[in-house]
């Protein structure tokens, strides 16, 4: 190593140490607030409106919305129990009740206020009622908007708002949500009120004291080498951990994987493939009449048959809109999910790849960073092929379907399939409800 490169690395380590260790009052300084009455615009909503609008669209169909990333938090029976308590509360108070279960990191609000998502949701929905949120840590908050009840709002500081065991955040979530709704139903009548939104920044806004040279040389001579060693060994440790977990996505065959599936299939190809896949599922069910996963496979077959029947009765799909074309993709996905349920003896087969559901089953979930309007930053299931690809490569591989006005990326087509991304564990019950079938 040359003296010049060694000196540069020492200088960089000293600067890092000064920023991280030597001057904490600068690293964590809070910017000054906008003076009251200055006429400057207030801070914008902390949550992207496309995410809020996605929740709003889901609540328009069902007042209990569970985000796909938290599918595992509530099973079918628990959702039915919460929905029953929700409807009972609505009948009693004569106002809507909305329950949202969704990841809601405190960092989404600049001052860590969890309830800000509910304010944003109410701003977009323009509906009075009780808004309840449960986040990825199992914490519950609620806000009443123009409800004729005297409600003591639940916050995550209350017993009803926090899980009994932080290591099992969803174990008692159904009980706490039902108790919250029952408390609302039994609350005494009162004049309607609307909570005020706190937009003030933290009060400590004094400018930090800066002691540049003393802290810099202290970091350079003392903390710099220590920080450099820590960063080096931390990198080695992360590399080892990543290497231990990565092989599960790169070794062993993946049944029913189709990494070379077309990115822009034609309606004719989709119709032919959907018919073939549904026939294969029917044959698999007949060959294994009593195996585990049969109930799931039968439901998948029934839903797929309804979709293909609707399309056949409407004639050719060559010139149909993109949403109807996506029904063919749905049939293919359902048929493969049904065969996976039979092969693995489970009623919770792995959801398909988010980038292109035709790729087959996913290997795990990771954050998918795509440019707008592709709902960037959320964790999505990815197949083995897409797991190791870059964001531009994933964007290029997004499933695109034909339509009367040209090809469209499937997640930009409004409707059931773009809302679910084909990737929720309760896909079949939600689809049957969407089709108006009472299962």
């Amino acid at each position: 190593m040359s003296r010049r490169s060694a000196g540069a690395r020492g200088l960089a380590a000293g600067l890092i140490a000064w920023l991280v260790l030597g001057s904490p009052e600068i690293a964590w300084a809070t910017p000054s607030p906008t003076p009251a009455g200055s006429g400057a615009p207030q801070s914008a909503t902390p949550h992207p409106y496309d995410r809020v609008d996605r929740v709003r669209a889901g609540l328009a169909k069902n007042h209990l919305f569970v985000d796909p990333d938290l599918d595992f938090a509530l099973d079918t029976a628990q959702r039915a129990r919460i929905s029953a308590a929700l409807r009972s509360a609505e009948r009693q108070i004569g106002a809507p009740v909305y329950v949202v279960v969704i990841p809601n990191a405190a960092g989404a609000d600049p001052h860590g206020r969890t309830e800000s998502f509910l304010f944003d949701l109410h701003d977009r929905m323009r509906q009075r009622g009780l808004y309840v949120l449960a986040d990825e840590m199992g914490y519950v908050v609620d806000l009443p908007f123009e409800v004729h009840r005297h409600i003591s709002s639940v916050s995550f500081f209350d017993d009803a708002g926090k899980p009994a065991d932080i290591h099992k955040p969803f174990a008692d979530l159904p009980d706490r949500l039902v108790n919250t709704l029952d408390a609302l139903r039994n609350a005494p009548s009162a004049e309607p009120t609307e909570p005020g939104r706190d937009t003030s920044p933290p009060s400590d806004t004094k400018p930090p004291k800066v002691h540049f040279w003393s802290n810099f040389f202290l970091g350079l001579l003392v903390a710099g080498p220590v920080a450099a060693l820590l960063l080096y060994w931390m990198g080695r440790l992360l590399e080892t951990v990543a290497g231990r977990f990565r092989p599960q996505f790169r070794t062993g065959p993946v049944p029913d994987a189709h990494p070379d599936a077309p990115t822009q299939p034609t309606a004719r190809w989709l119709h032919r493939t959907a018919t073939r896949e549904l026939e294969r599922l029917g044959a698999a069910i007949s060959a294994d009449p009593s195996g585990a996963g049969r109930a799931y496979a039968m439901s998948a077959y029934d839903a797929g048959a309804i979709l293909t029947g609707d399309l056949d009765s409407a004639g050719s799909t060559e010139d149909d809109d993109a949403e109807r074309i996506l029904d063919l993709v749905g049939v293919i996905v359902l048929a493969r999910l049904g065969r996976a349920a039979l092969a693995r003896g489970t009623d919770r087969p792995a959801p398909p790849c988010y980038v292109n559901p035709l790729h087959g089953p996913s290997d795990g979930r990771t954050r998918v960073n795509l440019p707008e309007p592709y709902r960037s930053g959320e964790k999505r299931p990815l197949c083995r092929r897409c797991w190791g690809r870059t964001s531009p490569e994933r964007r290029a591989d997004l499933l695109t379907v034909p339509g009367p006005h040209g090809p469209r990326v499937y997640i930009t087509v409004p409707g059931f399939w773009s809302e679910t991304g084909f990737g929720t564990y309760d896909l079949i019950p939600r689809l049957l409800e969407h089709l108006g079938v009472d299962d």
Side-chain angles (χ1 to χ4, degrees), residues 31 37 91 106 135 143-144 176 184 188 224 231 323 327 399 430:
R91 288 193 298 269
D135 65 13
L143 290 175
R176 290 186 289 117
L184 165 68
L231 290 173
E323 185 177 5
D327 285 345
L399 175 64
R430 290 179 63 178

Side-chain angles (χ1 to χ4, degrees), residues 64-397:
L64 171 61
F65 176 89
V66 181
D67 189 87
D69 287 340
L70 293 182
D71 275 334
F72 58 88
L74 299 171
D75 61 27
T76 303
Q78 291 169 337
R79 296 185 194 203
R81 181 187 171 203
I82 295 169
S83 295
L86 184 153
R87 290 191 293 269
S88 177
E90 289 181 328
R91 288 193 298 269
Q92 189 73 18
I93 69 173
V97 178
Y98 304 104
V99 178
V100 179
V101 182
I102 190 171
N104 185 50
D109 183 280
H111 307 309
R113 301 184 181 102
T114 304
E115 68 275 9
S116 62
F117 182 86
L118 295 181
F119 279 104
D120 288 343
L121 183 59
H122 174 258
D123 289 345
R124 298 294 278 181
M125 294 189 66
R126 299 291 184 184
Q127 292 288 337
R128 69 187 187 94
L130 181 75
Y131 291 70
V132 184
L133 179 141
D135 65 13
E136 74 282 1
M137 300 300 293
Y139 288 100
V140 176
V141 296
D142 71 70
L143 290 175
F145 292 91
E146 299 183 55
V147 177
H148 291 263
R149 285 291 189 276
H150 181 72
I151 300 172
S152 179
S153 295
V154 171
S155 74
F156 56 75
F157 296 108
D158 304 325
D159 289 338
K162 60 185 178 181
D165 184 353
I166 61 174
H167 301 293
K168 299 177 180 179
F170 305 112
D172 61 343
L173 180 60
D175 292 335
R176 290 186 289 117
L177 286 174
V178 169
N179 291 339
T180 298
L181 296 171
D182 288 344
L184 165 68
R185 180 168 53 85
N186 298 320
S189 298
E191 288 298 319
T193 59
E194 184 164 329
R197 185 168 189 167
D198 184 8
T199 59
S200 61
S203 59
D204 185 10
T205 57
K206 295 185 296 183
K209 295 180 180 180
V210 180
H211 304 287
F212 181 83
W213 291 111
S214 61
N215 286 333
F216 176 77
F217 284 114
L218 176 64
L220 178 64
L221 300 176
V222 179
V226 176
L229 286 173
L230 287 175
L231 290 173
Y232 171 78
W233 287 110
M234 188 179 296
R236 292 292 300 271
L237 177 62
L238 290 175
E239 184 178 358
T240 302
V241 172
R244 179 166 298 182
F245 283 96
R246 195 173 296 153
Q248 65 175 313
F249 302 108
R250 296 190 176 182
T251 61
V254 178
D256 222 357
H258 302 270
D260 297 325
T263 301
Q264 298 186 24
T266 64
R268 188 180 301 276
W269 183 94
L270 288 170
H271 199 285
R272 184 173 62 250
T273 304
T275 303
R276 183 176 65 249
E277 293 287 352
L278 200 59
E279 291 174 351
R280 290 181 63 192
L281 175 58
I285 294 173
S286 300
D288 191 11
S290 60
R294 176 179 170 80
Y296 185 96
M298 287 293 296
S299 297
Y301 184 87
D302 291 342
I306 292 172
L307 287 175
T308 53
D310 290 344
L311 291 169
D312 289 340
S313 65
S316 173
T317 57
E318 288 291 345
D319 298 322
D320 276 352
D321 64 312
E323 185 177 5
R324 292 183 63 80
I325 297 294
L326 281 178
D327 285 345
L328 292 173
V329 180
V331 174
I332 297 171
V333 169
L334 289 168
R336 292 173 179 174
L337 287 174
R339 291 204 308 274
L342 290 172
R344 296 166 181 78
T346 179
D347 60 354
R348 290 173 66 86
C353 177
Y354 178 74
V355 171
N356 187 342
L358 298 176
H359 284 170
S362 57
D363 269 335
R365 288 179 177 265
T366 188
R367 295 195 181 279
V368 178
N369 295 314
L370 297 170
E372 295 297 336
Y374 300 131
R375 302 177 191 162
S376 180
E378 298 188 27
K379 285 189 176 181
R380 299 294 183 182
L382 294 181
C383 69
R384 183 171 302 179
R385 178 179 186 271
C386 293
W387 187 271
R389 295 173 73 81
T390 63
S391 293
E393 290 172 333
R394 291 172 182 167
R395 181 184 181 187
D397 283 347

